[in-house]
């Protein structure tokens, strides 16, 4: 299981970077099959960047080693071809992972905004300033309230149109300087409130809601249908506005929680399967959303 890896090595000062939101239940084998990403992939890359070698059983029963346990090799990268092959090429029976040294210092900023556009502008400004956060995530108002209700707390301002979480990691001085710069940029983009978590417990509290967002949304709707699209960061405001318009046109609410740093959207279409024609309506809206992603030069992810 993904999260067991970091748990096993944290005591020695290491961690495993790819952290899909499903990390407490998904397997490293499944991560390899899907080339999974997560919050920290903005800075550290996806599963493929953290798997050094594989032992694989092919359909004819033969067993092969792919990758030589080194990060870079001059050979044909069959390890890379296997990762992301969705279980179609064989079964990975042993996987050698690359672990990273835990950063000296981690800060998490929480900025809240009155409009989704200004949250998107903050993401653009932070990136344009050359900062490289470990993660940069946005939740919209529907998700904020679902998460607060799920945990019975008020960690995220309930009336905000969007909250932006920015994690900065590295050496102490670098993190302090980057966090101050990011705060200024968020203010410049129109952030209403800003909060900075500096110790591991506080940071975990701010991430907890984001990491549980899908489960929390599951509590406010009988069923939801998740889309996965990626768009150029600069197009985030346009596409989010289009999702809002499409949601109204199709008469189905949509919750947005997404990897803002790399433009990876996860619109969750909320519905009840008991409603007449529900599946067709939901699929039509999902298709319309993904067409908007394609129209701005994005893709289905
Ligand atoms: C709530 C939720 C949040 C999620 N968040 C993310 C996210 O942030 N990022 C992300 O990338 N994905 C996410 N996912 C999708 C999914 O969790 C990931 O793709 C995960 O890597 C799948 O792992 P699994 O162990 O659940 O695999 P399964 O769903 O069990 O299997 C997926 C595929 O992998 C194959 N497979 C499994 N083990 C092996 C093996 N050892 N060798 C070869 N093939 C194998 C299976 O045959 C199947 O085809 C999320 C899913 C949910 C439900």
């Amino acid at each position: 299981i993904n999260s067991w890896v970091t748990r096993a090595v944290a005591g020695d000062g290491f961690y495993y970077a790819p952290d899909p939101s499903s990390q407490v239940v998904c397997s490293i084998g499944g991560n390899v099959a899907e080339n999974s990403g997560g919050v920290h992939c903005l800075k550290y890359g996806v599963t493929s960047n953290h798997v050094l070698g594989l032992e694989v059983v092919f359909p004819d029963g033969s067993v092969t080693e792919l990758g030589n346990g080194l990060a870079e090799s001059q050979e044909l990268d069959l390890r890379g071809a296997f990762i992301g092959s969705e279980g179609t090429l064989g079964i990975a029976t042993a996987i050698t992972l690359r672990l990273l040294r835990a950063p000296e210092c981690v800060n998490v900023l929480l900025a809240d905004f009155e409009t989704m556009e200004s949250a998107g502008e903050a993401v653009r400004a932070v990136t344009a300033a050359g900062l490289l956060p470990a993660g940069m995530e946005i939740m919209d108002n529907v998700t904020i309230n679902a998460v607060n209700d799920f945990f019975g707390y008020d960690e995220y301002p309930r009336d905000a149109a969007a909250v932006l979480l920015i994690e900065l990691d590295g050496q102490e001085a670098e993190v302090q300087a980057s966090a101050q710069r990011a705060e200024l940029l968020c203010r410049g983009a129109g952030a209403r409130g800003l909060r900075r978590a500096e110790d591991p417990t506080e940071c975990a509290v701010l991430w907890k809601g984001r990491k549980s967002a899908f489960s929390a949304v599951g509590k406010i709707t009988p069923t939801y249908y998740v889309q996965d699209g990626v768009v150029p960061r600069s197009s985030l405001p346009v596409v989010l506005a289009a999702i809002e318009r499409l949601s109204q046109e199709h008469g189905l609410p949509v919750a947005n929680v997404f990897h803002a740093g790399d433009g990876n959207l996860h619109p969750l279409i909320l519905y009840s399967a008991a409603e007449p024609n529900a599946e067709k309506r939901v699929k039509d809206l999902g298709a319309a959303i993904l067409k908007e992603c394609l129209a701005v030069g994005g893709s289905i992810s």
Side-chain angles (χ1 to χ4, degrees):
I1 298 297
N2 177 300
S3 62
W4 296 3
V5 178
T6 292
R7 204 186 305 158
V9 298
D12 294 315
F14 292 96
Y15 77 111
Y16 178 61
D19 56 346
S21 302
S22 51
Q23 70 182 139
V24 294
V25 290
C26 65
S27 63
I28 294 293
N31 294 174
V32 165
E34 305 300 330
N35 194 15
S36 290
V39 165
H40 289 96
C41 293
L42 174 61
K43 182 170 181 179
Y44 293 104
V46 291
T47 299
S48 183
N49 304 108
H50 298 270
V51 170
L52 302 177
L54 297 160
E55 178 193 83
V56 171
V57 180
F58 287 120
D60 65 359
S62 60
V63 180
T64 310
E65 303 275 336
L66 302 177
N68 58 9
L70 299 172
E72 296 291 339
S73 156
Q74 290 180 348
E75 293 164 18
L76 192 61
D77 186 17
L78 294 175
R79 174 210 61 91
F82 187 89
I83 297 170
S85 61
E86 305 205 333
T88 56
L89 298 181
I91 300 170
T93 44
I95 302 167
T96 307
L97 301 177
R98 182 163 78 106
L99 300 176
L100 301 183
R101 218 165 250 296
E104 178 186 301
C105 176
V106 178
N107 278 194
V108 177
L109 303 183
L110 173 74
D112 68 271
F113 297 86
E114 284 172 340
T115 65
M116 183 58 86
E117 286 71 24
S118 46
E121 170 55 22
V123 172
R124 192 205 59 75
V126 167
T127 313
L131 298 179
L132 182 53
M136 202 155 36
E137 302 280 311
I138 287 181
M139 294 191 287
D140 72 359
N141 182 267
V142 175
T143 314
I144 290 167
N145 283 291
V147 166
N148 280 343
D149 291 344
F150 187 62
F151 288 113
Y153 64 24
D154 282 304
E155 289 298 333
Y156 308 106
R158 285 183 178 271
D159 60 344
V163 292
L164 170 63
L165 284 159
I166 303 177
E167 180 172 305
L168 298 150
D169 68 353
Q171 294 186 330
E172 172 90 38
E174 173 199 358
V175 170
Q176 292 302 333
S178 301
Q180 282 166 14
R181 182 110 176 83
E183 282 172 349
L184 281 176
L185 292 163
C186 286
R187 283 256 183 252
R192 191 180 56 170
L194 273 168
R195 201 171 130 194
R196 192 188 325 176
E198 298 188 53
D199 74 60
T201 312
E202 274 182 81
C203 290
V205 167
L206 290 188
W207 275 127
K208 188 175 162 188
R210 165 61 188 92
K211 294 244 173 185
S212 305
F214 281 36
S215 311
V217 171
K219 283 275 184 191
I220 61 166
T221 177
T223 327
Y224 64 74
Y225 183 51
V226 189
Q227 292 303 315
D228 206 310
V230 67
V231 299
R233 258 188 310 259
S234 54
S235 301
L236 277 172
V238 178
V239 176
L240 288 163
I243 293 173
E244 173 64 28
R245 174 178 49 77
L246 289 168
S247 159
Q248 283 171 13
E249 281 172 17
H250 288 248
L252 290 164
V254 175
N256 284 292
V257 47
F258 54 97
H259 308 301
D262 49 16
N264 183 192
L265 296 169
H266 294 316
L268 280 69
I269 304 171
L270 317 186
Y271 71 105
S272 164
E275 284 169 22
N277 214 13
E279 271 197 24
K280 180 176 183 324
R281 289 174 58 219
V282 168
K283 285 184 181 167
D284 286 349
L285 174 53
I289 289 173
L290 292 176
K291 278 182 188 153
E292 290 290 338
C293 294
L294 296 178
V296 296
S299 79
I300 299 168
S301 45

